[in-house]
Amino acid sequence: MTGLRSSSSLVAAAPVLSSAALLFFCCFTTGAADAGNGGGGLRLGYYSESCPRAEDIVKEQVAQLYHKHGNTAVSWLRALFHDCMVRSCDASLLLEPTATSVSEKASPRSFGMRNFKYIDVIKAAVERECPGTVSCSDVLALAARDGAAILGGPRVVGMRTGRRDSRESHDDEVERDIPNHNDSVSAVLSRFAALGVDAEGAVALLGAHSVGRVHCFNLVARLYPTVDAGVDQAYGAYLRQRCPTADAREDTRDVAYARNDRATPMVLDNMYYKNLLARRGLLLVDQRLADDPRTASFVARMAADNAYFHDRFAAALLTMSEYNPLGDDEGEIRRDCRFVNPAA
């Protein structure tokens, strides 16, 4: 990918950590943060003077919460993806509904998302150190970065901060902008391209599906009335055990699910790509990556080389996290991530 740092500067080997908990769905370039709104003031060490321990506090909180509630790390990766895909990386996702707006979290595309309360825990810890200084959007981006590392993924370096928080929800744009589980590869690549992420980076970011789980609601179309011919026979039988009926409902809390990766369900590794090559892609959009000529070579290479996957994932995560930052006059630093600041 153009404008990337070398893999040695982006990624250092991360220890493999395990947990029984699970959850999930679902490039450092100068141009990414400079596109639109003057780059929003993003830079390395943004809080070095105003809140020197900001990034350390986030990392400490991520570690503490992970060891108490392992699925939090997966939640933050998904939350950053959902936040950045809609308009900007601006923490609009975190806003609660008001008398005049609907929360982005209410969208069907957000089904299954959770652990927002722990973002509030991290934010509160930062607020105690530096009141009104660190944005919720930076907290979310840094938590996703540190969450990836604690899941055994890459240690991403070079994440710029200085994001501003949105004053409004963009709930009417969620369905349009968040890719669906059965979208075409063209639709997915087009959406990622809008964020400045190329095909290689898109394939790498979808590797986040190496961790977590998928609700049966998103799977049954591939299993009933007959199992999709593109699914490995034994895997199809396993999925039918996990999802025994075709009437799985989206709007129930007691939902059945299947793990994205049965071998290393809480490790952010290249098992996802190995599964695709073995016809064990859980979501239709995942399996299509292995068949499409625009993405198949990346799938094969990432399946063969975990370090390459980590390198590309780290680069693409940085690019996505810098999408369309708000200018100083467009956003604010929310004190409570759930609500805009009261009018002065």
Side-chain angles (χ1 to χ4, degrees), residues 19-332:
S19 171
L22 49 122
L23 176 74
F24 206 57
F25 173 11
C26 77
C27 350
F28 188 87
T29 63
T30 56
D34 293 337
N37 302 310
L42 301 189
R43 65 176 186 267
L44 293 175
Y46 183 89
Y47 299 109
S48 60
E49 295 184 3
S50 61
C51 191
R53 292 199 66 250
E55 295 194 28
D56 290 336
I57 293 171
V58 173
K59 185 175 293 186
E60 291 163 4
Q61 290 294 314
V62 165
Q64 290 175 23
L65 289 165
Y66 172 79
H67 290 298
K68 290 181 181 178
H69 317 280
N71 60 7
T72 54
V74 185
S75 299
W76 298 324
L77 279 174
R78 185 184 177 193
L80 181 64
F81 170 80
H82 276 243
D83 186 45
C84 292
M85 275 282 173
V86 180
R87 185 78 71 95
S88 168
C89 299
D90 59 5
S92 61
L93 171 70
L94 304 179
L95 289 170
E96 291 293 326
T98 69
T100 58
S101 68
V102 177
S103 173
E104 292 175 25
K105 292 180 284 189
S107 168
R109 287 286 196 277
S110 300
F111 175 64
M113 296 184 73
R114 62 190 75 185
N115 292 325
F116 294 109
K117 62 185 178 182
Y118 297 124
I119 290 291
D120 297 333
V121 170
I122 300 173
K123 170 66 170 175
V126 177
E127 283 290 306
R128 287 192 293 272
E129 179 89 2
C130 312
T133 304
V134 180
S135 67
C136 296
S137 44
D138 275 342
V139 167
L140 181 55
L142 292 169
R145 178 195 70 178
D146 297 336
I150 209 167
L151 287 167
R155 296 193 182 278
V156 182
V157 300
M159 178 172 279
R160 297 194 277 187
T161 46
R163 296 167 186 81
R164 308 283 289 184
D165 298 328
S166 175
R167 297 188 180 98
E168 60 182 356
S169 172
H170 311 305
D171 61 283
D172 57 334
E173 301 175 25
V174 175
E175 293 295 302
R176 180 194 67 196
D177 289 345
I178 302 291
N180 204 2
H181 63 90
N182 57 359
D183 273 346
S184 67
V185 172
S186 291
V188 171
L189 294 184
S190 175
R191 190 65 201 107
F192 274 107
L195 276 67
V197 177
D198 66 8
E200 182 186 38
V203 172
L205 286 176
L206 285 171
H209 290 175
S210 170
V211 289
R213 68 188 187 183
V214 171
H215 295 123
C216 288
F217 174 81
N218 292 321
L219 302 176
V220 290
R222 302 189 73 200
L223 303 176
Y224 300 96
T226 58
V227 176
D228 185 335
V231 177
D232 172 73
Q233 184 176 2
Y235 189 57
Y238 159 76
L239 291 178
R240 277 200 164 199
Q241 290 178 346
R242 297 296 308 172
C243 305
T245 67
D247 62 353
R249 297 180 60 197
E250 180 182 17
D251 59 351
T252 174
R253 291 182 177 273
D254 186 22
V255 291
Y257 64 87
R259 296 186 179 193
N260 280 305
D261 171 14
R262 297 167 67 189
T264 55
M266 284 296 289
V267 180
L268 183 58
D269 60 11
N270 67 337
M271 187 60 69
Y272 166 78
Y273 305 99
K274 295 177 181 180
N275 285 334
L276 297 187
L277 295 181
R279 313 305 302 177
R280 293 194 292 268
L282 193 56
L283 295 170
L284 183 57
V285 68
D286 293 328
Q287 193 60 60
R288 284 172 170 166
L289 294 178
D291 300 328
D292 193 286
R294 294 166 294 182
T295 53
S297 64
F298 300 131
V299 169
R301 186 174 176 188
M302 291 179 195
D305 188 343
N306 192 57
Y308 165 70
F309 159 55
H310 279 180
D311 180 73
R312 298 300 89 192
F313 182 90
L317 183 69
L318 286 176
T319 292
M320 183 179 72
S321 75
E322 296 184 357
Y323 175 61
N324 196 29
L326 299 179
D328 289 347
D329 59 341
E330 297 176 296
E332 63 181 11

